Amino acid sequence: MRKLIILMMLLLFATIPVSALEFTAPEVPEIGETLMPRSYDSFIEGLWHILRGALAALQPGFYDACCICLSIVAVMLLGSFARNISQSQDGTVRLMETLMTAILFLKSSETFMQLSRDVIYELSSYGKLLLPVMASSLAAQGGVTAAAGIYGGTLLFDNVLTAAVTDLLIPMVYVYIALSVAGSAFDSEALNEGKGFVKWLMTWTLKIMLYIFTGYISITGIVSGSADAAAVKAVKIAISGIVPVVGNIISDASESILVSAGLMKNTVGIYGFLAVTAVWIGPFLQIGTQYILLKLTAAVSSVITGKNGSVLVRDLSGVMGFLLAMTGAVCLMLLISIVCFMKGVG
């Protein structure tokens, strides 16, 4: 009897309170609030609702992007016409063509740069609110080690990646634009080499960060998940063996509590997954639309002015590609973490 009383007291102190209030996901930021579905009964329907809303909101940005790209094509046509009249490859024509193209692009690029900063900041801020809730709910299910490992790793990598993007990579995008414009205007091999190095540095910075993060999450999930599953199983066996007569009943009841915690965890996870998608999808589609249209503009420009005339436009489309990669990397990191939390113990 004495052992039973001591065991029940220890279990009382070790119990983690589980309530719906503690497992409520934080409110969606304003940038994605209008896209969130009213019902979360179906995960696929929720995603489809968010996508439809984002596509509907894309129309004004699509019109502006088309205007910019058509203006660039018009500049290429004027440059080609000027070359045909002068019957020469005059450097002055190339210089004016490059400057006019750069001005048209820079008119919209600053908007996309700021949009990229904003969505990265919102994703990072929302992740700092959502991940503690996911970690607490996973710990309530018995995954204490996994919760600590996933939460700590994601928070660290999120801070590093967000700082790298906003303080290093986006300023490097400006350097890339300057080198691309200067290289096109003056046809300098040294400037083109510098542009290639900046592109390589930005690309591999993002890749290395994601490689390290996915590797960390994989190792953490395997090791900590197995450890937590073994710990939960050991506790249930101990309860069943130590407590006479009612040990099996208590063990079965504890399993029911863990299942309930897992269901609440997954509900919060689904909401968080949809919320992160809602914050990210609109800006991603806007930047992606500009990226695709600039790719098409580069293809048209190559027909009008030849290969050299399309190099600058292709480089400028690459700028949109970098912004897509940056926003996508931050979003992917959060979504992977949410899925790992939802996976639970073992």
Side-chain angles (χ1 to χ4, degrees):
M1 186 65 181
R2 184 180 177 182
K3 291 183 178 180
L4 176 60
I5 295 174
I6 294 174
L7 177 62
M8 295 303 294
M9 291 180 64
L10 290 174
L11 289 175
L12 180 63
F13 283 112
T15 300
I16 300 175
V18 178
S19 66
L21 178 62
E22 291 183 34
F23 293 163
T24 301
E27 292 294 327
V28 184
E30 184 178 354
I31 190 174
E33 185 177 3
T34 56
L35 298 179
M36 287 294 288
R38 295 181 180 178
S39 173
Y40 311 103
D41 297 334
S42 173
F43 177 69
I44 300 300
E45 288 181 5
L47 283 178
W48 178 237
H49 181 276
I50 291 172
L51 181 59
R52 282 185 302 176
L55 290 173
L58 189 61
Q59 186 173 356
F62 180 77
Y63 175 77
D64 293 339
C66 287
C67 289
I68 292 171
C69 291
L70 289 174
S71 299
I72 292 175
V73 170
V75 168
M76 295 298 171
L77 285 171
L78 288 174
S80 179
F81 181 70
R83 288 190 185 91
N84 290 333
I85 290 178
S86 63
Q87 295 296 322
S88 66
Q89 299 294 324
D90 189 5
T92 304
V93 175
R94 183 177 66 248
L95 178 61
M96 294 304 298
E97 185 180 72
T98 299
L99 290 178
M100 291 175 68
T101 301
I103 290 171
L104 288 170
F105 175 77
L106 291 173
K107 184 180 179 181
S108 63
S109 65
E110 182 59 35
T111 301
F112 288 112
M113 296 281 192
Q114 189 60 47
L115 182 63
S116 181
R117 285 194 189 95
D118 290 343
V119 71
I120 289 171
Y121 174 77
E122 292 292 349
L123 286 172
S124 179
S125 299
Y126 187 73
K128 289 179 173 65
L129 297 175
L130 175 66
L131 294 181
V133 179
M134 297 293 298
S136 298
S137 56
L138 178 56
Q141 197 191 8
V144 179
T145 308
I150 297 172
Y151 174 69
T154 303
L155 189 63
L156 173 63
F157 282 101
D158 175 73
N159 288 334
V160 172
L161 181 58
T162 301
V165 168
T166 56
D167 298 335
L168 176 64
L169 295 182
I170 289 183
M172 287 178 66
V173 169
Y174 286 105
V175 175
Y176 179 80
I177 294 173
L179 291 173
S180 298
V181 172
S184 177
F186 302 108
D187 196 20
S188 170
E189 187 66 26
L191 291 173
N192 289 329
E193 288 291 332
K195 174 191 69 179
F197 173 75
V198 172
K199 179 180 178 180
W200 173 85
L201 186 59
M202 288 190 294
T203 301
W204 277 100
T205 299
L206 278 177
K207 284 184 177 181
I208 289 172
M209 287 186 178
L210 285 179
Y211 284 150
I212 296 174
F213 172 73
T214 53
Y216 171 83
I217 286 294
S218 298
I219 295 172
T220 301
I222 293 172
V223 176
S224 62
S226 300
D228 286 330
V232 170
K233 184 177 180 180
V235 170
K236 289 171 63 179
I237 291 174
I239 292 174
S240 178
I242 292 176
V243 183
V245 184
V246 295
N248 289 331
I249 299 175
I250 296 175
S251 178
D252 293 340
S254 67
E255 184 174 0
S256 299
I257 293 173
L258 293 178
V259 170
S260 299
L263 291 174
M264 285 188 286
K265 167 176 63 65
N266 288 340
T267 301
V268 174
I270 290 173
Y271 181 89
F273 195 102
L274 293 176
V276 170
T277 304
V279 171
W280 165 78
I281 190 67
F284 185 83
L285 288 178
Q286 292 180 46
I287 299 171
T289 299
Q290 182 73 79
Y291 172 72
I292 294 173
L293 289 175
L294 282 173
K295 282 288 187 183
L296 292 174
T297 303
V300 174
S301 299
S302 65
V303 176
I304 296 173
T305 62
K307 181 179 179 181
N308 292 334
S310 65
V311 170
L312 177 60
V313 184
R314 189 173 66 247
D315 290 341
L316 297 180
S317 69
V319 171
M320 295 295 108
F322 290 138
L323 296 181
L324 284 176
M326 293 172 193
T327 56
V330 176
C331 179
L332 181 64
M333 184 178 295
L334 283 178
L335 294 181
I336 290 175
S337 299
I338 292 171
V339 171
C340 289
F341 278 122
M342 292 172 67
K343 180 176 177 290
V345 181

